[in-house]
Amino acid sequence: MVNFQRMRFLSPALFCLLAAPVFAQLPNSVLQQISPAFGKVGTTFEVSVSGENLEQLTGLRFSNPRIKAKQVRLPIDEIYPQGRPSGNGNRFTVTIPASFEPGIVEVRTLGYFGLSTARPFLVVPEGSVEIREEGDHSTRDKALPIEIETGVSGAVENRGIDWYRFPAKAGDRLLIQAWAERLDSRADLQLAVFDAAGRELESNRQFFGRDPFVDFTPETDGEYFLAVSDILYRGSSSHFYRLNISRDPHIDFAWPPAGVPGTKTKFTIYGRNLPGGSQSEGVVLDGKPLESVEVELNVPAEPGTVDRFTSTTPRQSMLSAFTHRIGNSNATRIGFATAPVVEEKPDAESQTVTVPAEIAGRFDTPGDPDVFRFSAKIGTTYFIESIADRLTTEADTVLILRKAGDETILAEADDPASFFSVDRFDSTNFDTTDAALEFTPEEDGEYEVKLINQSGGGSPAHRYRLAIREAKPDYQLFTSTERTITATNGRAGYPAAPLVRKNGTVAYRVVAPRRDGFEGDIVVRATGLPEGVTSKPLVLSGDTETGFLTVKAAANAPAWSGPIRISGRAKIGDREVVRESKNASLDWGVIFSDSFRVRSRLDLETVLSVTADETTPAFVTAEKPEWEVELGQKLEIPVKVTDFDSLRKGNLTVQPHGFPGMLRSPPNVAIAEGTADGKLTIDFNPNGNFQAKAGQFQFVLQGIGLAKYQHNPKLGLAATAEHKRLVALEAEFAKQVETAQQRLADLKKQGAGKPELDAAQQAVKTAEDLKKRAGDAVKLADKEAKAARAKAVAKDTKFATFSRPITVVVKEPAPAKK
């Protein structure tokens, strides 16, 4: 049951601290909200945007270019003969064509600082009935009436509850859901259904990630009530949601959860309100019986990922899969198996399988371990991999390997190594809780792998895939861009759109999870770069899975914004395997990102912006791009700093960034203002802060310093010029008033007739109206000019610069001479 009593929570002041940066860095555009966050196929409507550094906006970019946007501008008149954007330029008309496929696209703003970070935008079907939440409906007696099959756009207020009422018929299976997290809303919602007597009948607080879903079938005809609130009773315009009560079909999952590529396979689709569906025996989810439909599908021959927006974590989104729908249902994902699929026998104490095999299983009840026995040969390496978290289930798997009949644990695996850096500098979540282990038996025999769900739950929703196979080496590829780490935000995580300034660089963090012991080189390149922008390849060698890809703009690089492509190329056996990178981003920023939940997801595009209006304060390089050193020795790297436009102030601290195995407290060198050269010394003696080992590695130099930065000074100059123009225009209109008044006075003296006097009186009124409007415009322009000039005053601002990739070959120590 959901308790709708008022509750205490963190103070609004602390939430403001967590929600906004308290340090200054070189700005980039951050789109925080588009309102409304959805639109209907075949319509034109108005949206507004808000965020950080959204200055001099010129347009919106949707990931699907068929959606068009045009800035709302005021009509041309005597005050503004060139016209001007409405308000602060944040309003746009959006047109979605009639033939557009419903779903989620991404939108970014385009302005002075290039493209912003992205927000999801929901496109609903053409026939949808959509209304906006309006008025006071904070109590049940004021509940807003809505009809079934109606979409509602709303936002919860601080400490508030939104109440709705709707008619329903007995036996009608209604599916109620709210879109919030899936649209990057800050809201963490709960839903509760009540009858007319105030009794709570159903409730839910998380189903689609943190978004709630209620399956409600009334027992009697009547009017029912729905309460929507944040679980901590927070609220604001950024705590928005889209609510829907529907009879549409809904797919919960497909069984088995994967099929062998290139085969025709039978799947059972489980869900609710399924066309042609029948009641499935014993399959109950959250107390609700599911229906089922059997389908036969052609599993694509080449595994791939689903190229659609999803709000799940990057590793969940990148699980190889294809999609299937029934009618106008949601799309369910069906995976690509890496071995023949075997279904788990729920009643078997230990189930024997022939490897290679991929077991489709479920933790049907809490504390239900599953055991699988297989024959293994001496000297053969087997890889055992579970997939549960990446299926977006609530199962958290642990693997335990034993020899059959022997309680001795040969191997055990829980969560794999984390991609969160131990220095807490990276907040994007590239992790998974899916366990995997590598096993090479020392003798032929029967072995058992035990699979445990340590989250403790059990239901048809606690599905998993368990693969037991010989090596099938592969890799995935991700990039991410967060706000550049500086000394003042080492525990913070903030979204950032990549913006490169003249002579400057931007670094994409690269993450390449490897599968089944793959240790070949992965060469990562950026292509589709605009004129004047270059990038050198990043090579991830051996078992290295992370690095930084640097993109650099020349001094004469023209302004540009758009998508680019980052891809990896590797030799696996006799095949060249190319993987396209997907860019991951943070939904919202937060201080103490290691203590508070930070949501990460994949973007639909990897973008870059180049500004021709600003120059980087400095650029750091190494004396040469390749170095050698023996393990246990020190490497001295001469570094050079090139300063531009006398912007840098004080020391520039240069340190290695992204060196594999360098955990925390990296070595650094401080290069004083006005000084160009320094020497960075890296000690390759392994210790607790640096797990140095032999191999070939790449990293970049990161320089952190202060700059005397002026925020968009051209805007201040333009605003001052506009104010001056309007002052002159007001004076001109003042003269027109005097002339019109004198004309009226002369006509009165001359005894002119009424038509002439009326016309003269109207001329006076028109001139006075123009003078007043010009005066109002002068006041507004003065306010804007002062604000722009104040913002453009040079301030000490943190900045970071990144070098091109540097290669270091670390050799084993030479044998001691006898």
Side-chain angles (χ1 to χ4, degrees):
M1 303 289 280
V2 177
N3 183 1
F4 280 97
Q5 295 287 328
R6 302 292 188 193
M7 59 196 303
R8 294 182 181 273
F9 52 93
L10 293 176
S11 70
L14 181 55
F15 269 115
C16 290
L17 175 66
L18 300 179
V22 292
F23 46 83
Q25 292 197 56
L26 296 183
N28 60 276
S29 294
V30 177
L31 174 60
Q32 293 181 333
Q33 186 175 347
I34 180 169
S35 181
F38 65 88
K40 189 191 303 184
V41 169
T43 61
T44 296
F45 51 93
E46 187 173 304
V47 301
S48 62
V49 295
S50 59
E52 298 175 12
N53 302 312
L54 305 186
E55 299 177 14
Q56 295 177 273
L57 295 181
T58 57
L60 301 179
R61 175 185 172 82
F62 287 87
S63 55
N64 189 318
R66 294 184 62 208
I67 301 180
K68 305 296 183 183
K70 186 177 181 180
Q71 193 173 48
V72 177
R73 299 182 68 85
L74 297 174
I76 293 173
D77 60 13
E78 298 89 344
I79 309 297
Y80 299 105
Q82 305 299 320
R84 64 174 282 162
S86 174
N88 61 0
N90 71 331
R91 295 167 56 207
F92 296 84
T93 56
V94 175
T95 300
I96 304 176
S99 59
F100 199 88
E101 181 182 357
I104 293 182
V105 296
E106 276 184 344
V107 60
R108 302 173 187 266
T109 62
L110 178 61
Y112 176 81
F113 291 109
L115 289 171
S116 71
T117 52
R119 288 296 181 201
F121 188 86
L122 176 65
V123 178
V124 300
E126 190 169 7
S128 296
V129 179
E130 303 292 332
I131 65 171
R132 288 199 182 194
E133 167 208 1
E134 293 179 342
D136 178 12
H137 52 106
S138 58
T139 58
R140 196 163 70 91
D141 60 302
K142 298 177 182 178
L144 182 69
I146 58 174
E147 297 293 328
I148 296 171
E149 309 298 351
T150 297
V152 182
S153 171
V156 290
E157 295 182 356
N158 188 37
R159 301 177 182 266
I161 302 171
D162 289 347
W163 285 90
Y164 299 91
R165 55 186 171 90
F166 60 95
K169 294 185 178 296
D172 204 2
R173 192 170 195 176
L174 302 177
L175 306 180
I176 308 170
Q177 65 173 303
W179 296 71
E181 180 183 57
R182 289 172 289 174
L183 295 178
D184 282 1
S185 168
R186 287 186 183 272
D188 193 347
L189 295 180
Q190 56 189 358
L191 297 176
V193 178
F194 299 82
D195 64 14
R199 291 172 298 193
E200 184 179 311
L201 305 176
E202 301 281 357
S203 66
N204 184 259
R205 64 163 295 252
Q206 56 182 31
F207 188 89
F208 305 103
R210 297 243 168 184
D211 285 348
F213 175 80
V214 169
D215 181 347
F216 172 56
T217 304
E219 295 181 355
T220 60
D221 293 358
E223 190 171 59
Y224 294 86
F225 294 83
L226 176 65
V228 183
S229 69
D230 183 86
I231 64 168
L232 294 179
Y233 290 90
R234 301 162 299 187
S236 68
S237 63
S238 62
H239 290 73
F240 59 89
Y241 61 84
R242 180 181 184 269
L243 178 70
N244 181 253
I245 305 175
S246 175
R247 303 182 186 91
D248 283 346
H250 171 79
I251 298 177
D252 283 279
F253 59 87
W255 188 261
V260 176
T263 64
K264 180 173 281 190
T265 305
K266 288 184 179 180
F267 296 92
T268 302
I269 307 298
Y270 291 93
R272 314 158 205 238
N273 293 339
L274 299 180
S278 59
Q279 202 71 38
S280 59
E281 294 185 10
V283 182
V284 177
L285 190 57
D286 294 337
K288 302 295 181 180
L290 299 184
E291 303 163 9
S292 64
V293 174
E294 190 173 274
V295 297
E296 191 171 44
L297 303 176
N298 291 313
V299 181
E302 290 296 325
T305 56
V306 178
D307 195 21
R308 291 174 179 267
F309 179 87
T310 173
S311 61
T312 56
T313 68
R315 292 291 287 278
Q316 292 171 339
S317 300
M318 282 285 275
L319 182 66
S320 294
F322 65 101
T323 61
H324 180 68
R325 296 177 185 267
I326 297 179
N328 62 337
S329 76
N330 59 308
T332 189
R333 294 184 175 220
I334 301 174
F336 292 94
T338 57
V341 177
V342 177
E343 293 194 27
E344 172 214 5
K345 297 176 182 177
D347 298 329
E349 185 174 335
S350 177
Q351 180 176 342
T352 299
V353 297
T354 301
V355 296
E358 183 163 310
I359 299 131
R362 292 196 293 248
F363 296 110
D364 291 303
T365 58
D368 165 33
D370 292 335
V371 179
F372 302 95
R373 178 176 291 199
F374 64 98
S375 297
K377 297 180 179 180
I378 184 173
T380 300
T381 299
Y382 299 89
F383 290 86
I384 305 175
E385 177 189 22
S386 67
I387 299 175
D389 166 68
R390 285 172 289 169
L391 290 176
T392 68
T393 77
E394 295 181 2
D396 184 0
T397 54
V398 173
L399 297 175
I400 299 174
L401 181 70
R402 296 185 176 98
K403 200 166 191 296
D406 189 339
E407 290 300 309
T408 303
I409 296 177
L410 300 177
E412 186 173 0
D414 189 358
D415 299 343
S418 174
F419 285 103
F420 285 110
S421 58
V422 294
D423 54 18
R424 302 177 298 198
F425 280 0
D426 300 309
S427 300
T428 302
N429 178 19
F430 291 108
D431 287 351
T432 177
T433 59
D434 290 338
L437 61 83
E438 179 181 345
F439 164 59
T440 305
E442 296 180 355
E443 58 180 324
D444 293 348
E446 295 292 308
Y447 293 84
E448 286 185 341
V449 58
K450 186 176 186 178
L451 189 65
I452 298 172
N453 175 23
Q454 64 179 349
S455 68
S459 76
H462 289 74
R463 305 178 311 282
Y464 64 80
R465 293 163 50 186
L466 178 65
I468 308 173
R469 60 176 181 254
E470 295 183 30
K472 283 198 171 183
D474 207 342
Y475 69 100
Q476 290 182 316
L477 195 64
F478 301 88
T479 59
S480 70
T481 52
E482 297 179 25
R483 182 167 288 177
T484 300
I485 300 305
T486 69
T488 54
N489 71 323
R491 293 180 64 189
Y494 287 95
L499 173 67
V500 60
R501 292 167 167 84
K502 291 187 297 183
N503 287 317
T505 56
V506 64
Y508 292 84
R509 184 184 178 212
V510 176
V511 175
R514 296 171 181 263
R515 191 180 77 182
D516 292 3
F518 172 55
E519 293 189 352
D521 286 357
I522 303 172
V523 182
V524 184
R525 290 182 172 87
T527 55
L529 298 174
E531 177 187 351
V533 177
T534 56
S535 176
K536 292 185 177 180
L538 166 70
V539 181
L540 302 178
S541 300
D543 60 359
T544 301
E545 293 182 300
T546 62
F548 286 88
L549 182 71
T550 305
V551 171
K552 187 178 189 306
N556 59 349
W560 183 87
S561 292
I564 65 170
R565 178 187 174 202
I566 296 178
S567 59
R569 191 177 298 270
K571 192 73 176 296
I572 301 178
D574 58 356
R575 298 181 303 128
E576 188 172 65
V577 178
V578 177
R579 294 281 179 259
E580 296 294 322
S581 173
K582 295 286 188 178
N583 193 71
S585 63
L586 301 175
D587 290 2
W588 294 94
V590 65
I591 299 175
F592 310 134
S593 60
D594 54 341
S595 303
F596 289 83
R597 180 172 178 267
V598 179
R599 300 194 312 221
S600 306
R601 59 164 176 77
L602 291 184
D603 293 332
L604 289 175
E605 293 185 306
T606 301
V607 300
L608 175 69
S609 294
V610 183
T611 175
D613 292 314
E614 295 189 0
T615 300
T616 191
F619 176 59
V620 60
T621 57
E623 183 182 73
K624 60 181 183 178
E626 297 180 359
W627 300 83
E628 288 187 1
V629 65
E630 283 189 4
L631 198 62
Q633 301 300 312
K634 292 182 179 180
L635 175 64
E636 292 186 342
I637 301 178
V639 297
K640 183 179 182 63
V641 174
T642 304
D643 293 322
F644 299 101
D645 296 346
S646 301
L647 296 175
R648 182 163 71 94
K649 180 179 179 181
N651 290 342
L652 185 74
T653 301
V654 179
Q655 62 189 31
H657 192 58
F659 201 118
M662 192 171 288
L663 305 181
R664 56 179 69 83
S665 302
N668 63 75
V669 57
I671 300 178
E673 179 182 351
T675 303
D677 300 304
K679 189 170 290 185
L680 177 67
T681 302
I682 304 176
D683 188 346
F684 283 83
N685 186 35
N687 57 57
N689 287 334
F690 186 16
Q691 298 172 355
K693 61 180 181 179
Q696 179 173 301
F697 307 98
Q698 279 196 333
F699 69 102
V700 296
L701 296 175
Q702 181 193 58
I704 299 172
L706 280 176
K708 294 176 288 187
Y709 175 71
Q710 286 185 281
H711 188 110
N712 195 356
K714 288 185 177 180
L715 181 60
L717 295 174
T720 299
E722 175 67 356
H723 176 255
K724 184 177 180 181
R725 182 188 73 83
L726 290 170
V727 168
L729 189 62
E730 182 186 22
E732 181 182 329
F733 288 150
K735 290 181 180 179
Q736 291 181 15
V737 170
E738 292 177 2
T739 301
Q741 289 174 338
Q742 184 62 51
R743 168 69 174 162
L744 177 62
D746 290 344
L747 288 174
K748 286 180 178 179
K749 288 180 181 179
Q750 296 169 9
K754 186 176 185 303
E756 281 187 289
L757 289 174
D758 287 348
Q761 186 69 51
Q762 182 59 47
V764 170
K765 185 178 179 181
T766 299
E768 289 176 339
D769 179 63
L770 284 173
K771 180 179 178 296
K772 181 182 183 306
R773 286 167 52 203
D776 292 341
V778 166
K779 293 176 182 177
L780 177 61
D782 183 51
K783 181 180 178 181
E784 291 177 343
K786 287 178 179 177
R789 289 196 297 269
K791 204 169 186 179
V793 172
K795 297 180 179 68
D796 290 349
T797 304
K798 287 280 186 178
F799 78 94
T801 180
F802 300 91
S803 73
R804 301 281 199 181
I806 299 168
T807 301
V808 174
V809 177
V810 183
K811 297 182 176 182
E812 293 286 358
K817 294 182 179 180
K818 294 182 180 181

